[in-house]
Amino acid sequence: MVGTIPAMATVTASSDAKLVTFSHVKWVKMITRHLCKSQVMAHEDHEAADRETKRFHYPLDPNSYQILDQIGRGCSAIVYKALCTTTSAIVAIKSIDLDRSTSDDFDNVRREAKTMSLLSHPNVLKAHCSFTVGRRLWVVMPFMSAGSLQSIMAASFPNGISEPCISIILKEALMGLCYLHDQGHLHRDIKAGNILMDSNGSIKLADFGVSASVYESSSRYLMLNEITGTPYWMAPEVIHSYNGYSYKADIWSFGITALELAHGRPPLSHLPFSESLVVKITKGLRFSDYQKDEEKGQKNPKFSKYFKDMVGLCLDQDPLRRPSASKLLKHYFFKNCKGCDFLVKNVLRGLPSVELRFKESKLQKVGSMSSSSKLLGQHEMEDDEEDEEECLNVKKNRRISGWNFNVDACELDPVFPQDVFVKETTRGGESVILEKKEGLDEKEASDDKEVDDIGGVDREVVVGSLMALKKSLDDQREKVVYMLTVAGGVEETAATAATSGGEICNKEEQLMQVIEKLRLDLENEKRKRTSLEMELEFLKMHITNTCDV
Amino acid sequence: MKGLFKSKPKTPVDLVRQTRDLLIFADSKPDSRESKREEKFATLSKLLRELKQILYGNSEAEPVSEACAQLTQEFFKENTLRLLIVCLPKLNLEARKDATQIVANLQRQQVQSRLIACDYLEANIDLMDILATGYENPDMALHYGAMLRECIRHQSVARYVLESEHMKKFFDIIQLPNFDIAADAAATFKELLTRHKSTVAEFLSKNYDWFFAEYNSKLLESPNYITRRQAIKLLGDILLDRSNSAVMTRYASSRDNLRILMNLLRESSKSIQIEAFHVFKLFAANQNKPADIISILVANRSKLLRLFADFKPDKEDEQFEADKAQVVREIAGLEPRDH
């Protein structure tokens, strides 16, 4: 037993322990590691069996952990990087405020703790242990030093990651998902923010805050009639919850995550979340949802047909036609993947540490008045809300504001000035609007009072974000005009846009209304275009038919 | 069914038999180091996975009820369940989880509209002792705990556990530092005390004295926040259940109980306060309040009324408001009685 402790700790401890000078701890570690090695040689098979089934390598006492840094925060949870002084391992500790959760949520917390402590797969984040500290629950987990893919993209790859890297990341994540599905668990919140990377390039699926076990529900059918997850990643049948939720919904989210990694954001994320739901329900979702960006100068030849085919399979509207995780794993896209070293070289190089990224995001949060924007950190937490309705509300704002950071980073980043890529401008503008909406939401604001001092709002910053807001509206208008010309457009909408465009300066509400109107127009135009296209198709068919005759 | 048998040549009955043979092997040779041992354990794990898939289906196919019934019948024909429970510590983590899910599922399987699992457990009720003591072994606690919780779906089995010595141990187990184990035990404890109404009512009236003495001192007055919070919620669930009205009346007539509840009302945790109110209201609403209860309420009247003045849950709750209004009326209208 004793011998196995350092074995568990070695990987995570090696790089990060350097930050702290615990010479005696290091010394003990060296000794024990040595001991452990010889023991391993003696009883190799026993060791393996023990490591798999034995628990409690980590102490159940808060005094055995030294908090080093805060690396993430949600509405009722904080994630710390910490040193476990008895094993000298660096760990992540998710500290959940239990007093803010209802008894139903409490059951979820219990289930999550149990799920996490019984999982054992290299691509799934497990809990070392969990225990209560006053009113908080501490869940001790392996520390994934590179953080979530979402935060990695925000810091280094705002336009997405290259295909060879994506294939490795997705393959690893898919193996984790396969394991979860095999175990009867649904993840229910697959997205780049829940895929974590370690300094050695290894990938793990995380955050089972909303995961559910089909074995624990009373029905034998693999359906769960609850809406959970994050809108942009949610499958159509989850939104139409009458069908329930099954394994195949995770596959959909997996497909969206693939697109997210490729482009730096999920498709349709430039729309407020309810719109993205509606749009997704009414039409299929493909690469074409990024088309506007591509048409405006940013071609996307960088993705192989295998990648597009794989994503296409995941994003089939009919869940029955989507492949299972194990079947998807056999897809050609995942053949000949490179190893995790490749990720270390191509993704992790030059990446600021998780702690640093979190701190930066916090600073920007204060700056941009987005009080609840979160999580740069490695674990996103959205559970334990007091009120379901409110929760949904807060959730959607918070989730979207998750992108704020992304966006802000882009704006601040001198390498990507605003007007170079349409995608960036769009995202910058959109998110500012959402941010403002958040600011208006009193509930939310009071909810997060303790998080940051919102009071210290900088005038410059406000003006700055309003300017960005204006810019985004201009961009919206531009897009509409563009769409109109494409579809052989109608003048009047553009006129409306132009007139209202003049008065934008201060009132977000007005702006929101305008955008709403523009969006509707856009929708109309799109619909018109599709019907025209269908007519064209029909005519073409007709012509070929007559030709044949 | 066609699809199932095409891909798997073995029938469910064959699979169960083979599993049983391997379990007998695993049980009989505790420390054998022969080379075949590992191989046999690997086969056993594979078989358990296959049994699980028959019972639950997989991501491609739904379970077939005919196959489930055959499997269940064969499983309980002989001592497979006992073997599986006894050998569980020898299996690897994945096999343990599969086994747990199999046992859970079998409790619900009907063969000719009979729950034959129940018949088996009644004849082998000592298995519950193994499962319940499992909470003392951190490596097995979550597996045995989950099995136990499924087995007490059967009323006769729940009665056995309620009346056993294990019941006393729960008061300590649910306060273990390991959150996952403690929470699992708390879920089982709650299930035992709420699922089968008549059995629970009988148990509580027979064991009133020791049970509530333990409940008050170990759980409601625990220094551990989670323990207090879970305990006060469960107490409300128990006392407000119609089938426990006799127990409720008795509980709400005790001055000591009132003192504990009033302390919980003063907690800084909103969640605990709200749950405590749901028990406290029973003391106030009791139409035959003993004199000492009345004198405590009168002595604390102004404090209580002040507390209730701005006392409300985060969520709008009409029922709560109505209850509160009634409690306030009761307390405001109390006249101190001379002894």
Side-chain angles (χ1 to χ4, degrees):
Chain A
M1 260 293 272
V2 178
T4 61
I5 292 171
M8 296 285 287
T10 44
V11 182
T12 40
S14 55
S15 62
D16 301 281
K18 281 172 208 154
L19 294 171
V20 212
T21 47
F22 287 100
S23 53
H24 62 287
V25 174
K26 265 191 183 171
W27 178 74
V28 172
K29 198 174 75 186
M30 268 168 59
I31 303 276
T32 47
R33 193 186 290 163
H34 187 71
L35 272 174
C36 164
K37 227 178 234 169
S38 51
Q39 275 174 10
V40 168
M41 300 233 239
H43 318 276
E44 210 148 49
D45 51 342
H46 261 218
E47 278 286 297
D50 276 2
R51 211 174 307 136
E52 195 184 357
T53 50
K54 283 258 158 54
R55 312 169 71 240
F56 303 138
H57 298 287
Y58 285 81
L60 298 161
D61 161 25
N63 297 322
S64 304
Y65 297 91
Q66 187 185 353
I67 303 283
L68 303 176
D69 248 314
Q70 189 175 324
I71 52 173
R73 118 167 272 154
C75 62
S76 60
I78 304 172
V79 184
Y80 299 105
K81 175 183 177 181
L83 173 79
C84 172
T85 50
T86 56
T87 63
S88 80
I90 296 289
V91 293
I93 297 177
K94 178 168 162 180
S95 165
I96 303 165
D97 183 354
L98 292 173
D99 204 41
R100 292 182 62 173
S101 59
T102 64
S103 44
D104 289 346
D105 292 332
F106 190 81
D107 286 343
N108 287 335
V109 171
R110 177 184 70 83
R111 214 170 292 135
E112 182 186 2
K114 188 178 154 181
T115 303
M116 280 186 76
S117 63
L118 287 179
L119 293 173
S120 170
H121 188 275
N123 298 112
V124 172
L125 188 75
K126 67 165 281 162
H128 290 315
C129 65
S130 52
F131 51 90
T132 55
V133 182
R135 291 185 192 175
R136 304 191 78 95
L137 174 67
W138 281 24
V139 184
V140 181
M141 300 172 284
F143 175 66
M144 300 292 282
S145 61
S148 81
L149 260 300
Q150 192 251 316
S151 101
I152 291 173
M153 285 194 295
S156 313
F157 303 93
N159 291 322
I161 299 174
S162 73
E163 190 175 316
C165 291
I166 291 177
S167 69
I168 305 167
I169 295 164
L170 286 181
K171 187 180 183 183
E172 299 285 317
L174 190 56
M175 290 195 288
L177 186 62
C178 227
Y179 173 79
L180 284 180
H181 285 184
D182 247 19
Q183 299 275 311
H185 295 298
L186 307 171
H187 186 285
R188 304 213 285 183
D189 204 10
I190 304 265
K191 56 178 182 172
N194 282 336
I195 300 176
L196 308 182
M197 198 190 280
D198 204 352
S199 55
N200 62 0
S202 67
I203 297 284
K204 285 185 200 295
L205 274 180
D207 202 341
F208 307 93
V210 287
S211 73
S213 171
V214 291
Y215 298 133
E216 275 205 28
S217 75
S218 51
S219 152
R220 287 204 306 190
Y221 299 98
L222 310 180
M223 296 292 185
L224 293 160
N225 282 307
E226 295 160 60
I227 287 209
T228 17
T230 311
Y232 300 122
W233 291 262
M234 262 156 64
E237 74 272 15
V238 179
I239 299 159
H240 288 303
S241 59
Y242 52 79
N243 276 334
Y245 192 110
S246 81
Y247 296 118
K248 295 299 178 69
D250 274 346
I251 300 294
W252 172 281
S253 308
F254 184 79
I256 299 291
T257 305
L259 291 178
E260 183 189 7
L261 292 174
H263 295 275
R265 60 176 174 92
L268 307 173
S269 60
H270 53 285
L271 299 176
F273 113 97
S274 54
E275 319 304 340
S276 101
L277 298 192
V278 174
V279 174
K280 228 194 294 188
I281 290 161
T282 49
K283 62 167 205 156
L285 181 60
R286 293 290 146 122
F287 276 83
S288 59
D289 290 306
Y290 292 98
Q291 217 168 12
K292 276 159 275 165
D293 307 332
E294 289 166 29
E295 281 169 12
K296 278 215 164 177
Q298 215 201 3
K299 289 278 176 223
N300 242 332
K302 51 179 178 173
F303 296 110
S304 69
K305 67 169 197 265
Y306 299 115
F307 181 57
K308 290 178 184 172
D309 180 65
M310 190 278 293
V311 174
L313 289 173
C314 295
L315 299 186
D316 198 312
Q317 289 277 312
D318 179 3
L320 293 174
R321 287 209 305 259
R322 279 175 230 152
S324 66
S326 52
K327 211 169 160 191
L328 192 61
L329 204 48
K330 299 195 181 94
H331 192 276
Y332 191 86
F333 178 66
F334 297 115
K335 294 258 152 53
N336 311 319
C337 269
K338 295 198 169 70
C340 291
D341 303 348
F342 189 78
L343 292 180
V344 177
K345 274 181 221 144
N346 291 283
V347 176
L348 297 184
R349 189 166 286 170
L351 187 74
S353 76
V354 171
E355 301 91 299
L356 214 72
R357 277 181 274 156
F358 179 71
K359 266 176 213 139
E360 260 167 36
S361 80
K362 261 204 329 204
L363 285 176
Q364 281 168 13
K365 263 191 299 188
V366 176
S368 64
M369 304 191 332
S370 153
S371 55
S372 67
S373 146
K374 43 155 246 227
L375 261 250
L376 217 239
Q378 60 170 13
H379 312 273
E380 300 202 25
M381 293 137 301
E382 332 296 327
D383 38 333
D384 330 319
E385 218 68 32
E386 286 94 85
D387 176 336
E388 265 177 46
E389 278 169 74
E390 189 185 321
C391 178
L392 197 65
N393 215 336
V394 171
K395 217 176 233 174
K396 94 184 162 199
N397 284 338
R398 192 158 14 89
R399 291 290 201 175
I400 292 165
S401 70
W403 292 104
N404 289 350
F405 171 75
N406 239 344
V407 164
D408 293 343
C410 296
E411 281 188 345
L412 294 172
D413 197 336
V415 185
F416 300 107
Q418 287 231 339
D419 47 357
V420 173
F421 297 124
V422 175
K423 203 202 278 180
E424 244 103 65
T425 359
T426 315
R427 285 167 51 208
E430 290 288 346
S431 76
V432 173
I433 289 166
L434 291 163
E435 239 164 62
K436 303 294 290 184
K437 198 163 87 190
E438 228 168 62
L440 288 174
D441 192 341
E442 281 179 14
K443 253 188 205 164
E444 160 112 67
S446 61
D447 236 296
D448 287 277
K449 241 178 230 160
E450 45 140 2
V451 179
D452 302 305
D453 40 337
I454 318 163
V457 175
D458 200 334
R459 224 185 115 176
E460 250 179 65
V461 178
V462 180
V463 174
S465 45
L466 284 175
M467 289 304 286
L469 194 66
K470 183 168 180 286
K471 211 169 221 167
S472 109
L473 196 83
D474 288 341
D475 184 62
Q476 286 278 338
R477 195 179 56 200
E478 197 184 307
K479 265 168 40 188
V480 173
V481 174
Y482 175 71
M483 287 309 295
L484 289 176
T485 40
V486 168
V490 184
E491 286 285 65
E492 53 174 46
T493 32
T496 331
T499 47
S500 48
E503 304 158 4
I504 337 168
C505 295
N506 286 324
K507 298 179 182 171
E508 305 104 45
E509 259 176 58
Q510 209 179 321
L511 294 178
M512 290 304 290
Q513 277 172 11
V514 173
I515 287 173
E516 183 65 9
K517 213 189 283 171
L518 291 177
R519 197 196 52 75
L520 284 173
D521 291 343
L522 195 79
E523 275 306 296
N524 276 335
E525 290 309 321
K526 274 185 191 166
R527 223 170 286 143
K528 252 187 218 169
R529 191 175 67 169
T530 354
S531 65
L532 283 172
E533 272 171 2
M534 274 170 65
E535 210 177 310
L536 191 71
E537 280 301 308
F538 177 72
L539 286 172
K540 270 186 196 162
M541 262 170 57
H542 205 68
I543 290 166
T544 40
N545 280 348
T546 44
C547 283
D548 288 348
V549 172
Chain B
M1 205 153 93
K2 248 183 279 159
L4 185 80
F5 289 128
K6 220 185 282 168
S7 57
K8 293 191 194 92
K10 279 183 203 138
T11 65
V13 174
D14 286 340
L15 289 173
V16 175
R17 283 189 187 144
Q18 209 187 334
T19 308
R20 186 161 53 222
D21 289 344
L22 285 170
L23 284 170
I24 291 169
F25 167 83
D27 188 38
S28 62
K29 298 191 183 151
D31 267 322
S32 93
R33 283 208 145 257
E34 57 182 288
S35 60
K36 275 190 184 164
R37 186 182 147 85
E38 218 162 288
E39 204 179 297
K40 288 197 173 180
F41 270 91
T43 318
L44 183 54
S45 303
K46 227 182 83 213
L47 284 166
L48 289 172
R49 178 60 54 97
E50 281 182 61
L51 292 177
K52 186 183 91 172
Q53 276 177 0
I54 293 174
L55 292 171
Y56 287 96
N58 54 32
S59 54
E60 303 291 324
E62 290 289 326
V64 181
S65 55
E66 180 70 12
C68 292
Q70 287 173 5
L71 189 157
T72 310
Q73 195 154 26
E74 183 61 29
F75 203 93
F76 290 112
K77 211 149 93 188
E78 286 177 53
N79 238 349
T80 323
L81 183 61
R82 177 180 298 273
L83 282 165
L84 188 59
I85 289 174
V86 171
C87 293
L88 202 66
K90 296 176 183 170
L91 305 179
N92 66 28
L93 179 64
E94 296 307 319
R96 283 179 192 174
K97 285 189 282 184
D98 288 342
T100 304
Q101 289 171 345
I102 291 169
V103 172
N105 187 292
L106 288 174
Q107 305 309 316
R108 304 160 197 211
Q109 292 289 346
Q110 298 199 350
V111 178
Q112 283 145 13
S113 64
R114 265 194 79 80
L115 289 166
I116 56 173
C118 182
D119 301 342
Y120 178 86
L121 288 178
E122 281 173 10
N124 294 274
I125 200 72
D126 62 301
L127 286 176
M128 293 308 108
D129 301 330
I130 302 180
L131 296 183
T133 41
Y135 278 120
E136 288 157 32
N137 176 354
D139 292 327
M140 301 309 298
L142 292 181
H143 307 289
Y144 280 153
M147 286 187 187
L148 178 62
R149 210 161 36 255
E150 292 297 331
C151 292
I152 57 173
R153 295 168 72 89
H154 310 299
Q155 187 156 10
S156 52
V157 177
R159 186 181 301 122
Y160 173 82
V161 179
L162 273 172
E163 287 167 359
S164 71
E165 282 302 301
H166 305 299
M167 206 53 199
K168 291 201 168 96
K169 291 191 198 151
F170 271 105
F171 290 93
D172 297 315
I173 297 167
I174 60 183
Q175 304 202 57
L176 283 175
N178 286 283
F179 176 75
D180 44 2
I181 295 176
D184 190 89
T188 308
F189 189 65
K190 181 182 174 186
E191 186 81 357
L192 281 167
L193 290 167
T194 50
R195 188 171 185 100
H196 305 286
K197 309 288 181 204
S198 59
T199 310
V200 173
E202 192 192 333
F203 165 78
L204 289 176
S205 31
K206 262 201 251 168
N207 298 276
Y208 184 94
D209 290 324
W210 77 261
F211 182 84
F212 284 107
E214 291 277 285
Y215 205 99
N216 286 348
S217 65
K218 282 199 170 153
L219 305 185
L220 293 180
E221 295 188 307
S222 162
N224 184 325
Y225 162 81
I226 296 299
T227 306
R228 288 199 307 280
R229 178 162 168 196
Q230 285 181 316
I232 186 64
K233 170 84 168 69
L234 178 58
L235 182 64
D237 291 348
I238 293 172
L239 296 181
L240 288 163
D241 195 301
R242 227 164 265 225
S243 56
N244 294 328
S245 57
V247 172
M248 185 269 281
T249 319
R250 199 167 159 192
Y251 192 90
S253 303
S254 151
R255 178 200 162 104
D256 283 342
N257 294 343
L258 178 60
R259 183 185 52 79
I260 290 171
L261 262 302
M262 284 175 52
N263 279 332
L264 288 170
L265 273 181
R266 283 178 15 199
E267 285 245 359
S268 58
S269 157
K270 190 71 169 273
S271 318
I272 290 182
Q273 276 189 317
I274 298 285
E275 293 301 339
F277 171 78
H278 286 299
V279 180
F280 174 82
K281 70 188 180 193
L282 300 172
F283 290 84
N286 181 0
Q287 291 310 300
N288 296 308
K289 290 185 207 55
D292 50 354
I293 297 277
I294 295 179
S295 57
I296 291 179
L297 290 177
V298 169
N300 293 283
R301 172 153 49 197
S302 62
K303 276 190 214 157
L304 284 167
L305 294 180
R306 235 181 300 140
L307 173 74
F308 291 139
D310 41 20
F311 185 54
K312 58 165 170 270
D314 296 328
K315 212 171 5 180
E316 280 286 307
D317 186 343
E318 266 177 47
Q319 186 60 45
F320 180 88
E321 292 303 326
D323 283 354
K324 193 176 90 174
Q326 202 192 333
V327 166
V328 167
R329 262 200 312 278
E330 284 285 342
I331 294 175
L334 281 178
E335 296 291 336
R337 259 190 273 168
D338 291 322
H339 305 257

